[in-house]
């Protein structure tokens, strides 16, 4: 198969690494890719927003499958543009990707179809928004309607914080047009987990669950980021809970989208809160999680390519999911630039990657890296995802942090507690 992978982050490096291991692959290109992806694919000088360029390349090079990693091009309709040219695409079209692109659309869809989620309302007017916060009481959550790189959800412990968040979005427009309309919702208590299902438009199967660590500092302190680390599997999302999530959340959501003319071909990411009343949706995303994808790919035993192709071709998917069944666990620790998720500098030299990958079970996925005069340098907020597999979670964690200790760049910071709560619970049993 001739495959084109679209994207340039840690998620796409993990996908490239996994795809390249498939005996089915004859050629793998990445657009635009990154220095890590370049080890597995030929990187192309094409940007994510260049739908014509990407479609032209894919048709001109007899590409059998296009895999779109990030949400931005999906929400903008890249999959539609590619499908119009007869290409097989892994990734939903714009109408289905709106499940991530517009929180108001996603929440309204859930409300219309009785899919469990936090109570909410949508606002463009700050006065009405503040009134609703008083009705809900604190804590509550203020979210930008549009995409804000994982930073558009503001958890407010007090009404004063909620007022400030409303001002930030609606009055000062700090998120631009993404925050011109906001969703305000009740705060849900419980364990959070990310669940991934594959949908081909004709069938849907569960893929895997992982847990992300959203805040920048240990013990869930500090502002939210794109994700500072992840692990899989998640005990609370065992097979029985996954079956319940499929029945109560994933299947009705896909049916609802199809009924509204937006059949879904790709991976549906359900961000869940496992509350006392059962699983509820925090948010939907139209692509793999980053860094959840890194741990899911690292742990997956079977070939990913036939699954991606079946989704893209709109085939019926295999009913059982043997590909996720390995006894192992996987952990990813994100190494971030000094200052992230606020302002940070780039172009800083990175050392120690080979030494880190010498630790058994460790792969280092590139998220925000670049080359400067041949040297590997930082080029983003999240720079690397040090990922490790092991026979259990404790082994995977030890290996990942052994890898982390060997890597250095000026200003580098990371969480030291990835999977710690899960490990504590495992020890307590
Ligand atoms: P989102 O961008 O919607 O995924 O929100 C980012 C993070 O904010 C989530 O991963 C949760 O940790 C937190 N969050 C968002 N909405 C809620 C909610 N209704 N209740 C509790 N926590 C929430
Ligand atoms: N790790 C969270 C996300 O990909 O949205």
């Amino acid at each position: 198969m001739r495959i084109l992978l679209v994207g340039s982050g840690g998620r796409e490096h993990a996908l490239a690494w996994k795809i390249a291991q498939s005996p089915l692959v004859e050629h793998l290109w990445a657009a635009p890719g990154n220095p890590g992806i370049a080890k597995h694919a030929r990187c192309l000088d094409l940007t994510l927003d260049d739908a014509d360029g990407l479609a032209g390349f894919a048709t001109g090079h007899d590409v059998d499958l296009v895999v779109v990693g990030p949400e931005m091009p999906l929400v903008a309709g890249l999959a539609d543009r590619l499908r119009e040219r007869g290409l097989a695409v892994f990734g939903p079209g714009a109408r289905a990707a709106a499940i991530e692109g517009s929180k108001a659309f996603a929440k309204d869809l859930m409300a219309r179809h009785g899919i469990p989620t936090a109570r909410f309302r949508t606002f463009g007017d700050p006065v009405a928004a503040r009134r609703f916060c008083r009705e809900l009481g604190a804590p509550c959550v203020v979210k930008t309607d549009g995409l804000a790189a994982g930073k558009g959800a503001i958890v407010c412990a007090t009404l004063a914080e909620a007022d400030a968040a409303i001002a930030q979005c609606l009055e000062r427009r700090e998120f631009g047009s993404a925050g011109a309309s906001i969703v305000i919702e009740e705060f849900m208590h419980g364990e959070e987990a990310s669940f991934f299902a594959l949908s081909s438009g004709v069938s849907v199967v569960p893929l895997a669950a992982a847990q992300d660590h959203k805040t920048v500092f240990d013990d869930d302190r500090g502002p939210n980021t794109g994700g500072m680390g992840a692990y899989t599997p998640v005990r609370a999302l065992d097979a029985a809970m996954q079956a319940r999530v499929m029945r109560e959340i994933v299947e009705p959501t896909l049916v609802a989208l199809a009924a509204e003319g937006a059949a879904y071909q790709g991976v549906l990411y359900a961000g869940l809160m496992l509350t006392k009343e059962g699983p509820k949706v925090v948010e939907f995303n139209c692509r793999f999680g980053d860094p959840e994808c890194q741990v899911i790919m690292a742990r997956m035993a079977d070939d990913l390519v036939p699954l991606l192709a079946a989704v893209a071709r709109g085939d019926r998917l295999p009913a059982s999911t043997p590909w996720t069944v390995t006894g192992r666990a996987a952990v990813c620790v994100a190494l971030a630039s000094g200052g992230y998720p606020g302002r940070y500098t780039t172009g800083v030299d990175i050392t120690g990657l080979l030494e880190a990958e010498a630790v058994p079970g460790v792969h280092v996925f590139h998220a925000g890296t670049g080359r400067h005069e041949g040297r590997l340098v930082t080029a983003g907020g999240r720079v690397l995802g040090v990922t490790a597999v092991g026979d259990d979670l404790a082994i995977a964690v030890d290996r990942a942090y052994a890898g982390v200790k060997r890597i250095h760049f000026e200003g580098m910071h990371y969480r030291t507690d990835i999977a710690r709560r899960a490990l504590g619970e495992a020890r307590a049993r």
Side-chain angles (χ1 to χ4, degrees), residues 103 107 118 140-141 143 150-155 185-189 192 212 214 224 269 271 273 281-283 285:
K103 297 233 189 232
K107 295 291 288 191
C140 64
V141 188
K143 298 183 178 185
K151 292 159 206 161
I154 307 163
V155 178
E185 60 181 41
E186 94 189 303
F187 183 84
M188 297 184 285
H189 294 272
E192 216 179 323
D212 187 12
K214 301 244 177 182
N224 274 340
Y269 164 163
M273 194 68 82
V281 176
V282 177
E283 63 161 354
N285 295 314

Side-chain angles (χ1 to χ4, degrees), residues 264-346:
Y264 198 100
Q265 270 175 283
V267 59
L268 181 68
Y269 164 163
L272 301 173
M273 194 68 82
L274 305 175
T275 74
K276 282 207 284 287
E277 301 100 67
K280 293 187 183 178
V281 176
V282 177
E283 63 161 354
F284 281 118
N285 295 314
C286 63
R287 35 85 196 171
F288 281 111
D290 187 341
E292 291 97 321
C293 187
Q294 288 83 317
V295 291
I296 291 169
M297 293 305 131
R299 179 168 177 266
M300 191 180 293
D302 277 9
D303 194 345
L304 176 69
V305 170
L307 278 174
L308 297 176
V311 166
R313 287 198 287 253
D315 292 346
R316 181 152 289 283
L317 301 171
S320 64
T321 57
W323 54 84
T324 60
V325 183
T326 80
R328 300 187 300 176
V331 175
C332 174
V333 179
L335 306 183
S337 293
Y340 175 82
R343 287 168 57 104
Y344 55 85
T345 54
T346 57

Side-chain angles (χ1 to χ4, degrees), residues 132-211:
F132 184 63
C133 287
R134 272 139 191 92
E135 202 181 309
L136 281 182
C140 64
V141 188
V142 175
K143 298 183 178 185
T144 62
D145 177 39
L147 296 179
K151 292 159 206 161
I154 307 163
V155 178
C156 307
T158 62
L159 289 175
E161 281 178 38
D163 287 345
I166 291 166
Q168 210 183 339
C169 298
L170 294 180
E171 286 163 353
R172 293 201 304 277
R173 290 290 163 93
E174 286 180 21
F175 297 93
S177 60
S181 154
I182 58 173
V183 167
I184 298 181
E185 60 181 41
E186 94 189 303
F187 183 84
M188 297 184 285
H189 294 272
E191 189 75 16
E192 216 179 323
S194 309
F195 179 69
F196 300 87
L198 296 176
S199 166
S200 68
V202 299
S203 65
V204 52
V205 292
L207 181 69
Q211 193 163 52

Side-chain angles (χ1 to χ4, degrees), residues 62 73 75 96 169 183 221 229 232 241 268 272 309 338 420:
D62 298 324
V75 170
C169 298
V183 167
R221 287 177 302 109
T232 187
M241 182 57 92
L268 181 68
L272 301 173
R420 186 192 286 161

